[in-house]
Structure formats: C-alpha cells, structure tokens
Amino acid sequence: MLDGRPLVDVHVHAARLPTLKPAWRRWAHDFGDASLLERVYDAEGTVDPARFDAYLAEEGVDVALVLSEYSPKATGIQPIEDLLPLTAHSGRVLPIANINPHLHYPVEEELQRQLDLGAVACKLHPVHAGVAANDRALYPAYELCQSAGIPLVVHCGTSTFPGSSNAFADPILLDDVLRDFRRLNIALAHGGRGWWYDAAAFMALSSERVWIELSGLPPSRLREYYARHNWNRLTRRMIFGTDWPGVPGIAGNARAVAALCPDEETAGLVLAGNAARVYNLKSVT
C-alpha cells in the first residue's frame, strides 16, 4: 500500500546483469538510481530476492510484474527462469512471459511453457524482436492468450537500444489483432512513446480492450503527451508501470501519477484497479 492505496507496478526489469548488453546497463545508470542497483543486486549481478522484496515493500508495491525478454538483437536474452527465484521468494512478484518468433517455434508451445512457470501475461517486443505485431506467425500465441484469459502486453514506443526497429512500434499494427481476437486485452506499454501518443490514446478510448500502460513516461509530461484527448476519460484507461530500474523510484512516480488523476476513484484504478482486472491479480483489493 502507498498512502492508503494498493499499488501495482506492471513493468519491472529485474534481469541478471551478465545477460544484458552494455546499452541496457547505461540506460539503467542514466535514468535510474545507481545506488539502488548496488543495493538490490549481488556481486554476481543477480537481483537478490530478499533485498528486492524489501525494496518493493518500502516503495509501497503490493504486486510487481517482472519481465523476461528474448531479444538478442537489442538487449540480450533474459530468460524467464532467471525470474523464478524472485517469484518463489515472494508472492509480491509475478513473471510476464515473452515470445520472439525468430527464436521460438511453435510460439504457442513456448508461451505455454512460460505460462506453466507462472507467467500472468505475454509480452511482445516488436521493436527489439524485429517483427510486426500483426505477423500471422504470432497468431497461435494470441489465440493462447485469449483462451487462457491473459493480456497481451505490446511495446508501443520508440527504443534507443542498438538493434531496435522502431517502425514496428506503431500501434496501428494491432488493429488487425483487435479485430481477429475479440476477447483479448492489450496493454500498450509506453503508451505510444515518441510519435504515436495520439494513436495509442484513440485506440484506448475507442476499445474497451486497449489500455495505456505508463511505463517509461515521465508523469510531468503526461498531460502534454495526451493533450488532444479527454483527460478524465483517458486516465480511466491507464495502467501504472515504471520501467524500473530506468526510473529514480517507484513510489515517487506513483504519487505523481495519482496527483494527475481527476478524482480518488480514478487514482485507484490507475495505480492498481485496472491492473488487477486486466492481469487477473486476485491478491489486489
């Protein structure tokens, strides 16, 4: 709980440092708190489960969703198995699966394997994987997401990591997916960062299955990014996430986002309620 409100951070990177390319480490150092990394990582570059859980508790986080990633062209490979010590230590931490059709075939079998390890959502990173979200090779995985009742999280924004293909961040590529999978919830991670804020906002306002996921967006700029849209309506379509460790702190971001909400009910939805609904988080009340 943070200031009396439940708090869910749906976008956390807790990867082992040896699995990451140098650009990722620079990003975490430049945008995050270097002293915090020293606190939660051990000497081998692995997140210490007890220290990490203690940090999340201090920040008021009730649930943190940690991301695996299989992107050898961009950030490297951070397998879901590396996250299991964190999830085993604390019910506060849950994993998100990741598929890359250039590495995984059949994609639905790899997704099922990761779901069996406890994943509560599937992340697609078109920009780092180098694949369009409407590529039919991904459709078996989308069908599994839909039948399992889990959301699809799609990176929707620019990335500066070498090897990225930013053209694949365009949310319009998800129009086919929304049409073909009519029970699938889609969270737009980074909310259209770069050139697609308007498209992301339009999609979230026009479909009850599309959500703006706020990771990587400075709270102080949110009103500017979405200035052309009804703020009171749009905030009810938002889900809180930070992109930790690429932020100074989780609690500070959460308080800043809550202050932007038009009322207490909306703040509760953004910080936890929407995430609990979309990601099926039964422990969040």
Side-chain angles (χ1 to χ4, degrees), residues 11 13 69 122-129 131 133 152-161 164-166 168-171 174 186-193 196 213 215 243:
H11 200 115
H13 296 278
E69 185 168 342
C122 176
K123 168 80 179 292
L124 177 69
H125 207 311
V127 172
H128 288 176
V131 63
L152 176 67
V153 181
V154 181
H155 178 102
C156 178
T158 53
S159 173
T160 60
F161 291 120
S164 298
S165 301
N166 282 313
F168 291 127
D170 193 336
L174 288 163
I186 299 179
L188 303 179
H190 314 301
R193 180 176 64 199
W196 302 284
E213 194 254 75
S215 58
D243 214 11

Side-chain angles (χ1 to χ4, degrees), residues 24-130:
W24 191 97
R25 298 194 194 194
R26 289 194 298 271
W27 163 78
H29 181 273
D30 292 346
F31 292 95
D33 182 345
S35 65
L36 177 59
L37 294 181
E38 294 174 1
R39 174 183 165 192
V40 300
Y41 275 89
D42 64 20
E44 284 72 44
T46 299
V47 175
D48 180 272
R51 293 186 221 161
F52 186 58
D53 186 57
Y55 166 70
L56 293 174
E58 290 173 10
E59 294 291 297
V61 177
D62 295 281
V63 176
L65 304 187
V66 290
L67 294 150
S68 57
E69 185 168 342
Y70 297 82
S71 299
K73 284 174 57 180
T75 57
I77 293 178
Q78 298 87 53
I80 192 170
E81 288 79 5
D82 286 354
L83 304 174
L84 299 183
L86 303 179
T87 63
H89 177 81
S90 171
R92 191 192 314 271
V93 181
L94 299 170
I96 290 181
N98 176 241
I99 54 168
N100 181 338
H102 300 303
L103 295 179
H104 301 133
Y105 182 84
V107 289
E108 71 275 19
E109 291 186 7
E110 173 59 21
L111 176 56
Q112 184 63 61
R113 186 186 75 83
Q114 296 185 46
L115 295 183
D116 291 342
L117 292 174
V120 299
C122 176
K123 168 80 179 292
L124 177 69
H125 207 311
V127 172
H128 288 176

Side-chain angles (χ1 to χ4, degrees), residues 214 217 219 222 238 240 252-261 267 270-271:
L214 297 173
L217 301 180
L222 290 177
M238 291 178 176
F240 179 75
N253 263 35
R255 289 187 173 110
V257 168
L260 294 170
C261 293
V270 176
L271 296 187

Side-chain angles (χ1 to χ4, degrees), residues 48 60 76 116 142 144 167 198 256 265:
D48 180 272
D116 291 342
Y142 297 162
L144 178 54
D198 285 337
E265 179 188 8

Side-chain angles (χ1 to χ4, degrees), residues 6-8 71 91 147 160 178 264 272 276:
L7 179 61
V8 178
S71 299
S147 63
T160 60
L178 286 165
E264 183 62 29

